[in-house]
């Protein structure tokens, strides 16, 4: 059986026709996980029993005629989303023993849509990383080449979808953590507008940037799942109360006449030659589809990375203060006093990159430095956002590379934080401005996939998804699979 | 921008992080690099620019009505606590 090669829509149709049951479908993916996960290290926790129970419930709904479009579709959850009664680690030793007492809204919504939970995916610790090498559970390997990283921080979700150990996975994106790994493993990934998807129960990293999204082979798959998780949630104070369009219905909107802006700044610094050529070929493809391409400039965009590395660490240092060794999470042995309990619990529970960011954030927020760093960075965020706003007065979407290079080798960038941070040079801008953005596969550099990025105006997910879908209707990069996992 | 050991020790203390002797020089080096890297922001003229308050224009933090909306689930929550006694979280003695 090759159920893992089917799209969400095809799987859904097959379940409705009773070509296979939801239990058979779940078992198919569980078998693939058993054989391939040990080498990829993409799942931290596999929830086999839960998956089969969910699948039996889905089969009952299918038999009773109460099934929805996603009933019986297996899904992997990034281990940053709280799952009631299931270990939720966030890739950290700090939460190695944490059994979440409640479900995140994203988890709850996918459960009520009838999906089947396969497990929790590996990730950079607290989503801080661009290679999945900061995980307490070890690095994830790229299914296209086991010596390469899958990107991060949603590296596990990226790898499980690329190797088809799940048809779809959730991710989160604070500075590129959905789009960069999607590009590096050759799948599609969408980061919606800030506030579009509830973050209740999604462990916080940088609250003015964090957003949940979907990773799957195609834009169509992403649209179907985004539909299920998007929408207002009173439990997240940043959730926006605004109607959710029918993303799947709007997928067929033609590209003809669409104005796409080529982001000048994305083609200037540090872009690898082959990646640039493949992205340029994607631009030509859009031109052939009838889009109008114009060059646009966002002059402050090159300040994205330094701006982010003030804002994100500052917010993380505040968010991660909740991990105190008292109420949940790791506690050191034999604390001498309360300060010793805090310091050693946190010192032992957090890995090096997380500690580095907490200390950076503590520094930029400390007395006398707030204006020079955080306030300054928030002002530059206003400049970057204004650049995007001006660009969207001229064009419907922006386009550029997702990542400056294809997947790099494990260990290649771990010693130099700045080199690692520059992986996100093209993705961070959308987070700073709260814009929706996605990456879709646009070709191969040798055996390694390359992604092209689309950025839309606030709440422009539909137009972005339909543009991605149009490209995928005339290309097959999103259908390619690494040979070892076909 | 170069941080001293004392500054990094101070940050670690403020952030309640125990840093070993061996780790300290590594953090001195990488934190100095990061702060040098973000230093470029100071060259940008932001005199007439308002700091961003919310990524979405016109949006602000919503407030809910001051009604009881949560039930008491402390027993379930305390299952994750490293040390409890009765309904209390246990920490080392704070007041002698």
């Amino acid at each position: 059986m090759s159920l893992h090669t089917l799209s969400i829509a095809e799987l859904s149709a097959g379940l409705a026709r009773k070509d296979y049951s939801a239990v058979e479908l779940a078992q198919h993916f569980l078998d693939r996980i058993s054989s391939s996960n040990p080498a990829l290290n993409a799942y931290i926790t596999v929830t086999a029993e839960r998956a089969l129970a969910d699948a039996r419930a889905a089969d009952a709904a299918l038999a009773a005629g109460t099934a929805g479009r996603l009933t019986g579709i297996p899904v992997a959850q990034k281990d940053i989303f709280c799952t009631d009664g299931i270990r939720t680690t966030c890739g950290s030793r700090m939460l190695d023993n944490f059994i979440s007492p409640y479900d995140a809204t994203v988890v709850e919504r996918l459960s009520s849509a009838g999906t089947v939970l396969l497990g929790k995916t590996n990730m950079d610790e607290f989503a801080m990383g661009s290679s999945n090498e900061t995980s307490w559970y070890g690095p994830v390997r790229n299914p296209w080449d086991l010596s390469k990283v899958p990107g991060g921080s949603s590296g596990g979700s990226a790898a499980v979808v690329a190797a088809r150990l799940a048809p779809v996975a959730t991710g989160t994106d604070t500075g590129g953590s959905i789009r960069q790994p999607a590009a590096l493993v050759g799948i599609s990934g969408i980061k919606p507008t800030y506030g579009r998807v509830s973050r209740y129960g999604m462990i916080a990293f940088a609250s003015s940037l964090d957003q949940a999204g979907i990773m799957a082979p195609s834009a169509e798959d992403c649209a179907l799942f985004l539909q299920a998780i998007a929408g207002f949630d009173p439990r997240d104070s940043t959730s926006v109360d605004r109607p959710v369009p029918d993303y799947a219905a709007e997928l067929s909107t033609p590209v003809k006449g669409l104005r796409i802006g080529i982001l000048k700044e994305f083609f200037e610094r540090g872009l690898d030659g082959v990646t640039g050529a493949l992205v340029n070929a994607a631009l030509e493809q859009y031109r052939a589809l009838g889009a109008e391409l114009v060059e646009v400039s966002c002059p402050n965009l090159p300040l994205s990375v330094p701006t982010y590395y003030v804002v994100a660490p500052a917010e993380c240092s505040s968010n991660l203060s909740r991990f105190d060794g008292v109420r949940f999470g790791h506690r050191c042995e034999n604390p001498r006093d309360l300060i010793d309990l805090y310091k050693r619990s946190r010192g032992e529970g957090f890995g090096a990159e997380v500690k580095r960011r907490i200390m950076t954030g503590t520094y930029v927020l400390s007395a006398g430095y707030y204006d020079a760093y955080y306030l300054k960075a928030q002002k530059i965020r206003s400049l970057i956002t204004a650049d995007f706003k001006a660009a969207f007065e001229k064009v419907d979407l922006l386009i550029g590379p997702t990542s400056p290079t294809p997947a790099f080798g494990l260990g290649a960038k771990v010693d130099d934080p700045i080199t690692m941070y520059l992986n996100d040079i093209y993705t961070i801008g959308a987070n700073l401005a709260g814009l929706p953005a996605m990456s879709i596969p646009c070709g191969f550099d040798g055996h390694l996939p390359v992604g092209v990025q689309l950025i839309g105006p606030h709440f422009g997910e539909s137009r972005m998804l339909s543009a991605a879908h149009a490209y995928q209707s005339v290309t097959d990069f999103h259908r390619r699979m690494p040979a070892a996992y076909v | 921008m170069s941080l001293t050991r004392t500054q990094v020790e101070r940050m670690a203390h403020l952030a309640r992080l125990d840093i070993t002797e061996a780790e300290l020089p590594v953090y001195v080096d990488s934190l100095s690099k990061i702060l040098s890297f973000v230093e470029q922001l100071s060259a940008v003229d932001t005199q007439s620019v308002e700091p961003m308050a919310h990524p979405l224009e016109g949006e602000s933090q919503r407030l809910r009505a001051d009604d009881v909306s949560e039930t008491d689930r402390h027993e379930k929550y305390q299952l994750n606590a490293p040390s409890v006694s009765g309904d209390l979280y246990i920490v080392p003695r704070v007041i002698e």
Side-chain angles (χ1 to χ4, degrees), chain A residues 84 99 101 194 236-237 239 326-328 331 339 343 346 352 356 360 363 376 378-379 381-382 385 458, chain B residues 1 13 15-16 18 27 30-31 41 44 46 49-50 52 56 61-62 76-77 80-82 90 92:
Chain A
D84 194 359
I99 309 294
Y194 185 79
D236 171 2
S237 65
S239 171
V326 174
R327 294 157 303 154
F328 46 81
R331 173 181 284 198
I339 292 281
K343 283 191 172 180
R346 289 164 61 80
R356 181 153 47 223
T360 306
Y363 184 84
K376 184 82 181 179
Q378 289 289 76
K379 287 180 176 179
R381 256 181 108 171
S382 293
T385 306
H458 291 133
Chain B
M1 175 91 203
H13 173 70
R16 300 292 185 266
D18 188 41
Y27 286 118
S30 61
L31 292 175
L41 299 181
V44 183
T46 53
V49 182
E50 284 294 312
M52 184 190 250
L56 304 176
Q61 291 283 96
R62 193 164 21 79
K76 191 172 186 188
Y77 293 157
N80 277 300
I90 301 303

Side-chain angles (χ1 to χ4, degrees), chain A residues 182-183 186-188 217 439-443 449-452 471-472 475 477-479:
Chain A
I187 63 166
S188 305
S439 180
I440 54 173
C442 70
V450 168
V452 59
Y471 178 81
Q472 292 182 336
T475 57
F477 303 118
H478 62 291
R479 272 191 251 279

Side-chain angles (χ1 to χ4, degrees), chain A residues 48-326:
Chain A
E49 279 178 36
R50 163 72 184 265
L52 294 171
D54 285 351
R56 282 190 293 273
D59 280 330
L62 285 155
T66 57
R69 195 158 55 174
L70 301 185
T71 300
I73 306 293
V75 60
Q77 290 281 0
K78 184 176 181 178
D79 209 13
I80 197 168
F81 290 102
C82 285
T83 39
D84 194 359
I86 296 168
R87 187 167 73 134
T88 300
T89 71
C90 220
S92 181
R93 182 186 182 193
M94 180 60 84
L95 292 176
D96 185 53
N97 59 3
F98 180 69
I99 309 294
S100 173
Y102 69 102
D103 273 335
T105 297
V106 162
V107 172
E108 191 181 271
R109 289 194 178 179
L110 288 179
S111 291
S112 34
T115 67
V116 170
L117 179 63
L118 290 172
K120 309 289 296 286
T121 59
N122 203 343
M123 55 182 283
D124 278 301
E125 185 178 9
F126 287 105
M128 298 174 201
S130 306
S131 66
N132 216 113
E133 292 170 293
T134 71
S135 170
W136 167 250
Y137 302 92
V140 174
R141 288 165 189 274
N142 190 318
W144 293 91
D145 180 340
L146 296 181
S147 72
K148 307 284 188 199
V149 303
S153 68
S154 312
S157 287
V160 302
V161 172
R164 304 301 195 266
L165 306 188
V168 55
T170 56
T172 61
D173 192 315
T174 304
S177 283
I178 286 175
R179 291 160 287 155
Q180 183 256 16
L184 269 45
V185 305
I187 63 166
S188 305
I190 181 165
K191 177 202 98 73
T193 307
Y194 185 79
R196 180 75 291 181
V197 176
S198 169
R199 309 185 303 189
Y200 177 76
M202 178 178 124
I203 297 169
F205 161 15
S207 302
S208 75
L209 304 162
D210 295 341
Q211 180 58 195
I214 298 294
M215 305 171 81
S218 73
E220 181 194 58
D221 299 332
C222 288
L224 290 169
F225 265 77
L226 179 61
Q227 196 77 50
I229 64 168
F232 179 63
D233 177 13
R235 293 176 299 183
D236 171 2
S237 65
T238 65
S239 171
V240 175
D241 193 357
R242 221 179 130 118
V244 180
D246 187 339
Y247 298 121
E250 294 184 19
L251 273 180
S252 51
T253 309
V255 162
K256 195 164 169 50
L258 187 73
R259 289 166 305 160
I260 304 181
I262 303 167
L263 255 178
K264 179 169 159 276
E265 286 75 16
F266 280 9
F267 292 84
E268 285 170 350
R269 286 200 310 183
L271 180 60
D272 170 77
V274 177
T275 297
L278 292 167
V279 171
N280 277 316
L283 305 184
E284 283 315 310
Q285 187 64 256
Y286 273 110
R287 210 169 261 134
L289 284 165
E292 183 193 330
L293 279 91
V294 292
E295 190 178 87
V296 296
S297 172
C298 289
N300 293 293
L301 207 44
L303 295 166
S304 294
V305 183
T307 301
Y308 179 87
Y309 279 98
V310 171
V311 173
E315 295 181 8
C316 111
S317 72
S318 170
N319 272 325
L320 272 61
S321 63
R322 63 170 56 91
F323 301 101
D324 57 5
V326 174

Side-chain angles (χ1 to χ4, degrees), chain B residues 32-57:
Chain B
S32 298
K33 278 186 185 154
I34 292 165
L35 291 171
S36 303
F37 176 69
V38 304
E39 198 56 46
Q40 58 185 290
L41 299 181
S42 65
V44 183
D45 179 8
T46 53
Q47 220 162 20
S48 55
V49 182
E50 284 294 312
M52 184 190 250
H54 194 285
L56 304 176
E57 218 174 337

